[in-house]
Amino acid sequence: MGEQHWQKARQSRDARFDGLFYIAVKSTGIYCRPICPAPTAHEKNVIYYQFAHNAAQAGFRPCIRCRPDSAPGSAAWLGTKTTALRAKQLIDQNNEHDCEKLAVRLGVSSRYLRRLFSQYFGISITQYRLFNQCHFAKKLIQETNLPLTEIAFAAGFKSVRRFNDAFLKQLNISPSALRSAKQSHDSSLTLILPFRPPYNWQALHGFLAKRLIKPIEWLTPTSYGRTFTYKSCRGRFDAEFVADKHHFQVQIDIDNTQYLQPVINNIRRVLDLDADTYLIEAHLSEHINNAFPLTKGLRLPGIWSSFEAGIRAVLGQQVSVTAAHNLVTQLVQQLSEQQEGNVYFPAPEVVAGSDFAFFKMPQARKNALHNLAEFCAVNPDYDDLDQWLSLKGIGPWTVNYAKLRGQSQPDILLDGDLGVKKAQAAATPFDSIACAPFRSYLTFQLWQQL
């Protein structure tokens, strides 16, 4: 997209472009989202920026009305595939902040990574990290009643003084001034998580309803919720779908706000809030050659962790969806952990220590569960799921299912899945390879045909 497209999108306030660019108004010194309800500024007073941090760097402060910190994110795979985009995604997800560690993780030198990042985003990695932390803190200030001190540490700052200095420098307003302008909210941890329309809640709801594992998950006609663990914290969330405002209202209970940002990012992934379905469906439509009708606004229903997705996949090998659901439910009933009334999916250590006597299944399947759980217990942060293929009883379908739902990778075609095979056989032949890099969405589109 260029400025000509941005101009039209700004004038129409089209929510499909929310978060894809930002508008700075020279006469007010404020930058906004394209859906800002404020009166449309004259074009001569407008400067367009692809990223919010570019507007902040230029001296503009964020609009308190439309709140750029609440714009939908943009998944890195939507743009040119570069090391810089991957680094930005890791920082956005709060997975890595240190440049040296980022470089090692991405397989490049730190010097080269710094140059790439500056080239693509016009900002250093350190500056971007600070901006990202301040943007997240701004969201918490405006949407929660958490004390500023707790917000500072939740955003990753080591001291309140450093937080105050960085916030004022990055956003041109102090945390205390912003807090005084905040409207009152009923809950201290109720956040707004936006998405770009269309969002097919009915399709997501129907998919989740067939696979819901009680009591770790729950579903109402307009909401989805579950318990979760993340590193050393535990909690639960309820996400209420608000169609007309293009967002989920999410209530989060968490016992350690230090991990709040990665937890929120994972909720966004589980609900697939950063997908541009308009772009994805246009790409698929071009390459499936009218083989079948596409379901509009289809999202990837995520599972909280790769480990949980892997266990579900092992229990789903060569059985029906209903049979797999019953097995996972049985596993949770027997091995789940409980704390203060909440029930949590069993940890890898717990699953690895079970003999699965409660399961009536071949020993080979039990061994596969044990092998996977033991590997994940020893390697809790390992995200290269292809290493699972070295485990006896773990094949390509299981690994790809975990990539699809446990990591929400966008380009996984489960061509070994029986349902996908049936849907492909019933459709007019088309080139599935040409549907990359969105073959995960193709998988779910094919499942919708059954």
Side-chain angles (χ1 to χ4, degrees), residues 160-302:
V160 176
R161 180 178 179 180
R162 175 62 174 149
F163 165 61
N164 288 331
D165 290 344
F167 198 95
L168 180 59
K169 184 177 180 179
Q170 293 290 327
L171 303 182
N172 297 293
I173 187 172
S174 70
S176 57
L178 186 64
R179 170 52 61 88
S180 67
K182 185 186 85 71
Q183 295 180 351
S184 178
H185 287 262
D186 293 334
S187 173
S188 62
L189 282 176
T190 298
L191 302 174
I192 301 301
L193 302 186
F195 57 80
R196 292 185 197 92
Y199 192 108
N200 196 323
W201 167 251
Q202 290 74 22
L204 184 77
H205 186 281
F207 184 89
L208 293 174
K210 294 178 181 178
R211 297 160 176 82
L212 199 73
I213 307 301
K214 299 177 181 179
I216 66 169
E217 296 179 293
W218 49 92
L219 198 62
T220 75
T222 59
S223 71
Y224 168 75
R226 67 162 293 151
T227 59
F228 63 81
T229 59
Y230 182 84
K231 296 188 181 295
S232 60
C233 81
R234 294 186 175 193
R236 56 184 284 154
F237 72 85
D238 287 274
E240 182 79 20
F241 179 69
V242 185
D244 59 333
K245 295 184 179 179
H246 313 309
H247 69 232
F248 280 83
Q249 182 170 298
V250 183
Q251 182 174 342
I252 305 173
D253 295 314
I254 186 170
D255 62 9
N256 188 344
T257 54
Q258 175 186 348
Y259 299 105
L260 184 57
Q261 186 169 12
V263 164
I264 291 172
N265 289 333
N266 210 32
I267 294 172
R268 293 195 66 87
R269 180 191 65 78
V270 166
L271 297 173
D272 198 13
L273 299 186
D274 294 325
D276 187 341
T277 56
Y278 181 77
L279 180 152
I280 293 167
E281 288 157 17
H283 179 81
L284 294 180
S285 180
E286 179 183 353
H287 294 290
I288 65 172
N289 196 28
N290 296 316
F292 58 89
L294 293 177
T295 301
K296 300 299 181 183
L298 200 62
R299 305 285 168 145
L300 303 182

Side-chain angles (χ1 to χ4, degrees), residues 129-138 157 166-167 170-171:
R129 173 179 56 80
L130 281 173
F131 176 82
N132 199 54
Q133 289 175 277
C134 291
H135 237 216
F136 178 67
K138 179 179 178 292
F157 290 95
F167 198 95
Q170 293 290 327
L171 303 182

